[in-house]
Amino acid sequence: MQIGLVGLGKMGFNMRERLRAHGHEVVGYDPRPEVTDVASLAELAQRLESPRVVWVMVPAGRITQDTVTELSSVLETGDLVIDGGNSRYTDDKIHGELLGSHGIGYLDCGVSGGVWGLENGYGLMVGGSDADVERALPIFDALRPEGERADGFVHAGPIGAGHYAKMIHNGIEYGLMQAYAEGYELLEAEDLVTDVHGVLRAWTKGTVVRSWLLELLVKALGEDPDFAEISGYTDDSGEGRWTVLEAIDHAVPAPVISAALFARFASRQDDSPAMKAVSALRNQFGGHAVKKAAGEAEAGSGT
């Protein structure tokens, strides 16, 4: 099958390779001349035979919006666009309506697998019509992991459902990563445990907490013991925030995901104003010791 692929970054580049390895013809476009197959989206459309299928794999937000808008002007009735980035699900209705006004189909596809997808395959969550999903199945089958389709692919519902499912997936990921990170810190804090890396590795087979994320944590520790080469600053790409907002909108309690998101915010503060306030209050009502800023003496009774 022939497909156009817009965006050849860490994910898109590997997806192009995996699709080609499965016998598909891929024409890729990226602004970087060293990786692109064509010079523009217009040339991409010219290189593809009608009816075309174009997969968009660019950062969510304005870049995706601009790309979809330009594709609506260079593609034709009967073509199909798949947004495989991490777009917010509310954007999908807008993109679907814009493309639909030109007779162009639209699917939203949440993609999980990161840089390991080339080798292991990608977990895929798709939103859109039955007909459009069926048309793109050869592409989805090439990208998903080997084995039963249902173990790595789902048609989650109409337009928007794929990105909604991926948003919740990433929210869960926040909570899982935070739990592993807190467990790691507790192990490091106890002098009785002399082989923290070994303990985590021993959990990767047979235990109820085994997972790919745990395996990646073990791998990271093996490459950088004590994480000496990285800072604790942790960014968030949006999906965790969106998940928490959805929990609020639906009145669904999500304390773990919320706490994991806020922990990332805390990681960006060298000296938290909120925790300064907590410390000051403890000193005011209980006379508890306050650790002064650098160069100042400690105050309080310590009781």
Side-chain angles (χ1 to χ4, degrees):
M1 184 173 176
Q2 189 185 54
I3 184 171
L5 181 58
V6 181
L8 300 172
K10 292 179 181 179
M11 292 277 284
F13 186 90
N14 283 347
M15 291 172 72
R16 179 175 64 175
E17 297 308 301
R18 185 172 176 89
L19 287 167
R20 286 176 173 172
H22 280 73
H24 296 287
E25 179 187 350
V26 184
V27 180
Y29 168 70
D30 191 278
R32 296 171 298 156
E34 66 271 21
V35 297
T36 194
D37 299 319
V38 293
S40 66
L41 289 179
E43 185 180 346
L44 177 76
Q46 293 171 1
R47 286 273 299 272
L48 298 173
E49 299 175 1
S50 295
R52 307 168 182 86
V53 176
V54 177
W55 187 298
V56 177
M57 204 70 190
V58 300
R62 176 57 59 186
I63 297 177
T64 294
Q65 294 166 13
D66 291 346
T67 300
V68 169
T69 298
E70 186 173 352
L71 285 173
S72 72
S73 67
V74 299
L75 297 179
E76 300 173 340
T77 298
D79 292 344
L80 174 65
V81 172
I82 305 171
D83 177 11
N86 277 330
S87 294
R88 192 168 187 175
Y89 78 98
T90 50
D91 290 340
D92 292 317
K93 183 175 184 293
I94 299 170
H95 296 160
E97 289 177 350
L98 170 62
L99 293 167
S101 68
H102 296 270
I104 301 167
Y106 178 76
L107 296 174
D108 58 285
C109 182
V111 180
S112 181
V115 296
W116 297 89
L118 174 60
E119 178 181 352
N120 299 333
Y122 303 88
L124 305 174
M125 297 141 269
V126 182
S129 72
D130 291 341
D132 285 339
V133 171
E134 183 67 27
R135 175 179 171 185
L137 267 182
I139 299 301
F140 296 139
D141 281 341
L143 290 173
R144 67 174 176 81
E146 303 296 331
E148 290 190 41
R149 181 183 290 156
D151 290 338
F153 169 87
V154 62
H155 180 189
I159 288 176
H163 280 146
Y164 192 95
K166 180 57 164 47
M167 174 184 65
I168 303 306
H169 165 283
N170 284 20
I172 293 170
E173 186 180 279
Y174 274 54
L176 290 173
M177 287 192 290
Q178 186 65 28
Y180 284 130
E182 291 173 9
Y184 159 73
E185 184 170 354
L186 281 167
L187 289 169
E188 282 284 0
E190 177 51 62
D191 291 340
L192 282 171
V193 180
T194 59
D195 187 0
V196 173
H197 181 261
V199 170
L200 293 171
R201 182 175 178 182
W203 291 352
T204 61
K205 304 291 183 182
T207 74
V208 295
V209 298
R210 66 189 185 274
S211 75
W212 186 37
L213 282 174
L214 179 58
E215 292 174 11
L216 292 176
L217 177 58
V218 171
K219 181 177 183 295
L221 268 175
E223 295 171 349
D224 181 11
D226 302 320
F227 298 132
E229 298 179 7
I230 61 174
S231 78
Y233 183 104
T234 306
D235 211 341
D236 70 288
S237 54
E239 296 90 341
R241 301 186 189 208
W242 302 340
T243 302
V244 171
L245 290 173
E246 287 299 310
I248 294 170
D249 286 345
H250 292 287
V252 172
V256 172
I257 296 172
S258 301
L261 175 64
F262 294 142
R264 295 197 183 192
F265 296 163
S267 78
R268 302 165 203 174
Q269 296 178 319
D270 293 331
D271 203 359
S272 167
M275 295 316 296
K276 284 185 177 183
V278 170
S279 182
L281 285 169
R282 292 181 75 247
N283 177 253
Q284 289 294 321
F285 73 72
H288 298 289
V290 176
K291 184 177 181 180
K292 292 293 187 178
E296 298 288 341
E298 189 174 85
S301 66
T303 60

